[in-house]
Amino acid sequence: MSTRDFRSTRRQFLQGGAAGAALSTVARPLAAQEPPVPLEQYEAEFFDAGEWAFVMAATARLIPSEGDGPGALETRVPVFIDREMAGEFGQAATWYMEGPHQPDAAPLFGYQSPLSPAEVYRGGIAAFNEWCSSEHGAGFADLDADTQDAALTALEAGDVPLAPELRDFFALLLQNTKEGYFADPRHGGNHGMASWVHIGFPGARASFLEWTDPSKDDVPYPLGPVSISGERA
Amino acid sequence: MAREEKRKDVVIVGLGWTGSILGIELADEGLEVLALERGPDRDTVPDFQYPDVADELRYGIRYGFMQKPRNSTITLRHGLDDTALPYRQLGSFLPGDGVGGAGIHWNGHNWRAMEEEFRLRSYVEEEFGADIIPEGMTIQDWGVTYEELEPHFDRFEYMAGIAGQAGNINGEIIPGGNPFEAPRSRDFPMPPLPQTLNGRMFKAATEAMGLHPFPRPAANASEAYVNEYGMQLGPCNYCGFCERYGCLNYSKASPQTCILDALKRRPNFSYRTRCEVLKVEKAADGKTATGVTYWDEEAGEEVFQPADLVILAAYQLHNTHLMLLSGLGEPYDPRTGEGVTGKNYAYQMSGGTSMFFEDVEFNPFVGAGSNGYCIDDYAINQIDFAAEGFIGGSYISTSQTNGQPIRSMRVPGDVPKWGAGWKEGIKKWYGHSMSIGSHGSNMAYRDCYLDLDPTYKDPHGRPLMRLTFDWKDNDIRMTQFMRRQIEPIAQSMNPTSWASGYKQEGARYDIRPYQTTHNVGGTIMGEDPKTSVLNRYLQCWDVHNVFAMGAGAFPQNIQYNPTGVVGALAYWASDAIRKDYLTNPRPLV
């Protein structure tokens, strides 16, 4: 049994104590933020060097740098994925993982692999690199961009033979890449909130009542995003 | 050997909406009331406070406020001869846990069911003849009428502070409201929420077609409000973090914003968190319960909590599970059609059409949980079931609840899923779409039910509950009918492009994509102990000091979101307990 002093919190909040604290967090100047380690020097928590090279290369094709807007590397998506794999999500900490397992069940039944997402990445990267070597003569990270795109397309289509317990590998990789691109920067990706600037999402501002007025119909919202830590872009 | 706690008058299993309502109503009767909540404690501060809660990954995607399948889940199979597999990772529905339960992370769509829905079998038989009911469809009357529930709907709406526009007050049709709703005794406590552009466009389009748009009844406050328990709500600020989040703004009705601070001040109420009830214990004669056994996570031991009255107020799935594990009611057998516990599980049938407008800016992050316009022109009481070939109906609506980019990135079908084309597509289309959805009924069937799984166990060694469920032709015909109504509305708005998503003939139930958390049935109410586990007062037919709240009581699903009915039923049951049961504890029917 746990308890909490519930009698004071709501009153304090309404008197402005907690609200004031929250606002001062948001107002923290950008200068206070430490510049992150450059991606090339980042030491992965979960991935080994070969796996890290794959994650860097694969996310760079899923959200490329070329064209308008940032890519996965500019937004540090690989850092996000590494942190997720080292954390609760990668370890399937909240999922029901008891056996018996039937990884080849119809996909309608959802995740049925006995492996955690981190283990699916580990096994999936190894199997996919092996396939790239036999089909294209080199591991994924060493292929040219067009061949990488073709290889990822084959992986997505299920044309790369993977054991059933690894079959969610591509879906996880794509899902986590988009999460790292769009999630609040506190989780390691979306560096500089660049993806939010790209699409026009104002982040954690969370107060828009005046924008329901019909005079604002069809008027693009003018302010750039803020993050939970108070970063502005 | 379980530790034994001091006896209480009432023990409540679960401290969400219904546990909070029964808690305060029975505490105000002077009873010693204890609530046991298996999840953590939660309150607006610190758990929902700004800016920490505005975190899409943590709460919207990783389900920070939801039940953890590792602790509690179900197994699924499509048919009676299949082997069920565990729901290992949340997807299709998102049960809550912790104080407030699913009442903290809903959007706030608050409805009364239609008069006809409470007596659906009788209505169908009287209007269209019993022979239109398909083989295997097991719809029933509820045993309670809309008229009986009306004061309790009213009370829930004034407690929760619902913003809306009445369409029918005591039989008088009110312009701008829903002309097809059942009579209400007075208007909503608050005016409708402000609308966003998509709502204004939907209203204009449907009015031009001779339909009857009305603002969605919303448990998001549109102005400052104080309810009967002295709890204060503030106007919604359209933060865009509603569904899957606790409200940072004291605007969305929840147990926290509407009841709990008042309840916690009652000296005869207490609650314990991280205490999961394992079983309702029955007396030797089997006619009454003696209390509950629960697992105290912090102490690491089993505890027996004696009580005179046991209120099951957990989520629908968990109430059913607990009744099956405790031998409350005869377990339902789909092969014989006999037994009652676990019977008539039903879900919800929804579909939608997305529209893309190259030159319209919607600012999709400007959102309340429940703003938007609806039409009920194709509601259950407006459809000729015999002519259309199905039983059921939907309300149709547009809403703009959030523009969170991980889960709300709508793009036209020709945008690739990744690569340079995707990056270009999201910039082009984010903020330039709206959708029209149908939210519909799902009937009950003989082979859609809940029982105990023979293979998989929970962390306490108890069998997981097994869900046997699949889509049926009747409900698919209903959703296809809605598609034929919605697409002309969408086309009349001249979008650049549009795309529909409705279940088609042969569709199998897929547990992966989120659909709704509106699971119902399993502990259904009714007029006959042979066909329902609860009587019309939500009292267990077999064990009269056990009452079970929640959407488990629905004999089939309604076309609406269930919370308004769940709230009204909780007040209806608490009224019967206060006025009738306490003075003379016995079977009330």
Side-chain angles (χ1 to χ4, degrees):
Chain A
M1 157 181 177
S2 64
T3 56
R4 178 185 288 164
D5 180 10
F6 50 81
R7 286 181 174 80
S8 59
T9 50
R10 180 175 165 105
R11 188 178 315 122
Q12 281 173 356
F13 181 82
L14 292 175
Q15 284 168 349
L23 289 172
S24 69
T25 307
V26 172
R28 194 165 68 194
L30 190 54
Q33 311 275 329
E34 292 280 323
V37 182
L39 207 48
E40 305 71 42
Q41 292 163 31
Y42 174 81
E43 286 181 34
E45 280 181 70
F46 173 75
F47 293 115
D48 68 24
E51 291 164 346
W52 179 248
F54 169 82
V55 172
M56 292 275 282
T59 57
R61 294 319 305 153
L62 295 175
I63 310 180
S65 301
E66 63 249 33
D68 188 15
L73 298 186
E74 291 78 17
T75 48
R76 297 174 67 87
V77 166
V79 174
F80 168 86
I81 295 179
D82 181 54
R83 282 173 52 174
E84 288 298 299
M85 289 309 119
E88 260 196 2
F89 176 79
Q91 308 306 309
T94 65
W95 297 1
Y96 184 83
M97 295 299 283
E98 302 301 312
H101 289 271
Q102 201 183 313
D104 58 351
L108 299 171
F109 292 91
Y111 198 86
Q112 293 297 337
S113 174
L115 306 178
S116 68
E119 291 166 331
V120 170
Y121 267 81
R122 188 142 277 163
I125 292 170
F128 186 44
N129 268 332
E130 206 170 294
W131 180 86
C132 288
S133 296
S134 73
E135 289 291 310
H136 300 294
F140 180 84
D142 295 324
L143 302 173
D144 63 64
D146 287 346
T147 312
Q148 285 179 333
D149 285 352
L152 285 169
T153 301
L155 182 66
E156 180 181 26
D159 295 338
V160 175
L162 290 180
E165 58 264 33
L166 298 175
R167 74 180 182 190
D168 294 323
F169 173 50
F170 180 83
L172 274 170
L173 177 66
L174 180 59
Q175 173 200 331
N176 296 148
T177 298
K178 290 181 181 178
E179 287 168 357
Y181 192 64
F182 285 133
D184 188 275
R186 64 156 62 165
H187 300 291
N190 193 11
H191 181 58
M193 293 173 281
S195 76
W196 291 351
V197 172
H198 175 57
I199 61 169
F201 176 62
R205 286 190 179 273
S207 182
F208 303 107
L209 179 58
E210 72 275 24
W211 279 78
T212 61
D213 191 282
S215 69
K216 301 287 208 307
D217 278 359
D218 219 13
V219 178
Y221 184 79
L223 302 178
V226 298
S227 72
I228 290 169
S229 72
E231 234 186 323
R232 288 162 195 271
Chain B
M1 187 65 187
R3 183 180 90 222
E4 183 162 333
E5 274 280 350
K6 190 166 158 285
R7 194 193 68 85
K8 296 283 183 181
D9 295 320
V10 185
V11 63
I12 296 176
V13 182
L15 192 54
W17 263 130
T18 63
S20 299
I21 289 171
L22 271 289
I24 199 161
E25 291 297 298
L26 297 178
D28 285 352
E29 207 56 43
L31 302 173
E32 285 289 328
V33 179
L34 167 71
L36 297 171
E37 167 54 52
R38 66 182 181 167
D41 206 349
R42 290 201 175 109
D43 208 346
T44 305
V45 178
D47 303 290
F48 316 148
Q49 73 188 356
Y50 181 81
D52 278 296
V53 80
D55 186 336
E56 184 186 14
L57 185 79
R58 185 171 297 173
Y59 301 108
I61 303 293
R62 300 280 186 260
Y63 307 125
F65 292 128
M66 314 305 181
Q67 167 187 297
K68 309 294 177 260
R70 168 150 288 185
N71 300 332
S72 173
T73 191
I74 54 126
T75 65
L76 167 72
R77 59 180 185 165
H78 283 133
L80 298 182
D81 297 323
D82 300 342
T83 301
L85 292 172
Y87 182 41
R88 297 181 179 278
Q89 171 194 18
L90 293 181
S92 181
F93 47 84
L94 306 171
D97 66 0
V99 169
I104 72 161
H105 63 71
W106 65 321
N107 258 326
H109 300 185
N110 190 87
W111 297 90
R112 301 179 175 200
M114 299 194 133
E115 280 176 295
E116 296 79 3
E117 295 188 282
F118 290 106
R119 47 189 305 278
L120 188 65
R121 177 169 279 272
S122 297
Y123 171 70
V124 170
E125 290 180 357
E126 289 160 14
E127 294 292 320
F128 310 103
D131 58 348
I132 76 153
I133 299 174
E135 170 74 24
M137 185 191 282
T138 51
I139 54 175
Q140 294 183 191
D141 292 355
W142 296 47
V144 64
T145 65
Y146 174 83
E147 292 71 17
E148 289 172 308
L149 285 180
E150 203 287 329
H152 306 284
F153 277 120
D154 181 80
R155 186 151 180 223
F156 184 73
E157 287 166 2
Y158 275 73
M159 183 274 288
I162 306 303
Q165 166 65 57
N168 180 344
I169 298 180
N170 295 319
E172 187 192 342
I173 302 301
I174 313 293
N178 178 7
F180 309 113
E181 71 174 352
R184 52 178 68 245
S185 51
R186 53 178 170 164
D187 202 348
F188 290 96
M190 275 186 249
L193 285 171
Q195 294 289 337
T196 45
L197 174 57
N198 61 308
R200 285 187 270 277
M201 289 168 63
F202 178 85
K203 179 173 187 277
T206 50
E207 268 174 357
M209 296 171 79
L211 303 168
H212 300 84
F214 60 92
R216 187 195 314 273
N220 315 140
S222 60
E223 57 186 32
Y225 185 74
V226 180
N227 75 7
E228 64 168 295
Y229 304 126
M231 297 289 290
Q232 300 175 44
L233 299 171
C236 175
N237 70 0
Y238 284 68
C239 78
F241 290 89
C242 198
E243 180 179 37
R244 304 190 186 183
Y245 303 82
C247 182
L248 58 87
N249 201 53
Y250 298 93
S251 301
K252 178 169 68 177
S254 69
Q256 277 82 0
T257 50
C258 296
I259 304 175
L260 285 170
D261 283 352
L263 178 54
K264 289 169 184 177
R265 293 192 184 99
R266 300 323 198 239
N268 50 338
F269 173 81
S270 58
Y271 69 108
R272 301 177 194 149
T273 57
R274 300 200 184 275
C275 290
E276 177 160 17
V277 173
L278 302 174
K279 197 177 178 196
V280 178
E281 304 291 349
K282 290 199 283 190
D285 68 0
K287 298 230 178 348
T288 55
T290 57
V292 301
T293 298
Y294 68 88
W295 177 254
D296 180 336
E297 188 181 311
E298 197 167 287
E301 64 179 341
E302 280 190 15
V303 181
F304 174 60
Q305 176 61 60
D308 290 346
L309 186 56
V310 176
I311 308 289
L312 304 184
Y315 185 73
Q316 171 264 352
L317 293 169
H318 311 304
N319 270 0
T320 309
H321 193 212
L322 205 49
M323 291 189 92
L324 286 166
L325 291 167
S326 306
L328 294 166
E330 188 71 25
Y332 172 70
D333 180 344
R335 297 187 194 274
T336 63
E338 287 167 12
V340 286
T341 311
K343 183 184 173 181
N344 279 23
Y345 168 84
Y347 197 37
Q348 201 102 56
M349 178 56 93
S350 55
T353 298
S354 297
M355 295 120 80
F356 299 90
F357 295 85
E358 211 158 16
D359 299 321
V360 180
E361 175 54 67
F362 289 96
N363 292 320
F365 39 84
V366 179
S370 304
N371 67 317
Y373 269 96
C374 308
I375 54 170
D376 246 346
D377 294 78
Y378 308 104
I380 275 178
N381 68 3
Q382 294 302 305
I383 296 175
D384 182 339
F385 297 153
E388 301 299 343
F390 64 82
I391 295 170
S394 287
Y395 77 89
I396 291 171
S397 69
T398 184
S399 61
Q400 179 166 300
T401 60
N402 77 83
Q404 295 156 36
I406 305 173
R407 66 195 184 106
S408 304
M409 183 55 75
R410 267 196 301 262
V411 289
D414 59 354
V415 171
K417 294 201 164 47
W418 53 273
W422 177 79
K423 196 173 73 167
E424 191 185 322
I426 56 170
K427 181 177 178 65
K428 182 168 181 190
W429 293 109
Y430 177 77
H432 297 284
S433 76
M434 62 170 278
S435 67
I436 303 176
S438 74
H439 184 283
S441 56
N442 178 224
M443 296 299 120
Y445 297 90
R446 183 165 171 151
D447 59 353
C448 296
Y449 76 112
L450 297 160
D451 69 350
L452 296 175
D453 190 274
T455 306
Y456 294 95
K457 307 262 191 265
D458 78 2
H460 302 291
R462 306 178 300 173
L464 294 186
M465 193 163 62
R466 176 170 66 178
L467 166 58
T468 305
F469 178 74
D470 209 351
W471 300 117
K472 305 287 186 182
D473 293 345
N474 175 83
D475 308 72
I476 290 172
R477 279 197 292 272
M478 186 277 290
T479 199
Q480 288 292 326
F481 171 89
M482 295 305 155
R483 173 189 188 136
R484 295 195 297 275
Q485 315 313 317
I486 290 174
E487 286 177 349
I489 302 172
Q491 285 169 302
S492 79
M493 294 162 76
N494 292 317
T496 312
S497 67
W498 56 276
S500 279
Y502 300 82
K503 291 190 181 62
Q504 311 220 11
E505 199 182 335
R508 312 300 306 271
Y509 173 56
D510 184 346
I511 204 162
R512 291 171 296 176
Y514 182 73
Q515 287 155 71
T516 74
T517 303
H518 307 156
N519 312 75
V520 305
T523 60
I524 66 176
M525 63 191 295
E527 296 164 296
D528 180 349
K530 289 199 181 62
T531 56
S532 66
V533 66
L534 305 178
N535 68 22
R536 68 197 300 265
Y537 301 107
L538 306 181
Q539 180 183 37
C540 185
W541 284 109
D542 294 355
V543 181
H544 68 74
N545 62 342
V546 175
F547 289 75
M549 302 298 118
F554 298 13
Q556 57 274 333
N557 212 349
I558 56 175
Q559 68 171 21
Y560 300 110
N561 312 62
T563 302
V565 180
V566 166
L569 286 175
Y571 275 115
W572 159 255
S574 74
D575 197 53
I577 294 168
R578 293 180 73 165
K579 291 182 176 154
D580 199 356
Y581 183 79
L582 291 176
T583 51
N584 179 14
R586 69 196 189 287
L588 290 171
V589 177

